[in-house]
Amino acid sequence: MKRRDLIKKLENNGWWKAREGDNHTIYTNGERSEPIPRHKEINEITAKAILKRAGLK
């Protein structure tokens, strides 16, 4: 999955960028935070796990 598509899904569901880390961008919904790796293409397994932890799948 492309990184921008994953970020778009998060942002459309109320998540926003909290800060930039060294190797990850940290997104939050006010209660939880989720690190998003900085790769153009994110492994499907990793992307599904991020969406599942975010409560989107």
Side-chain angles (χ1 to χ4, degrees), residues 18-37:
R19 63 185 173 87
E20 296 283 339
D22 287 336
N23 298 316
H24 294 78
T25 302
I26 311 300
Y27 275 79
T28 185
N29 66 354
E31 296 176 7
R32 292 181 287 170
S33 61
E34 189 63 46
I36 308 298

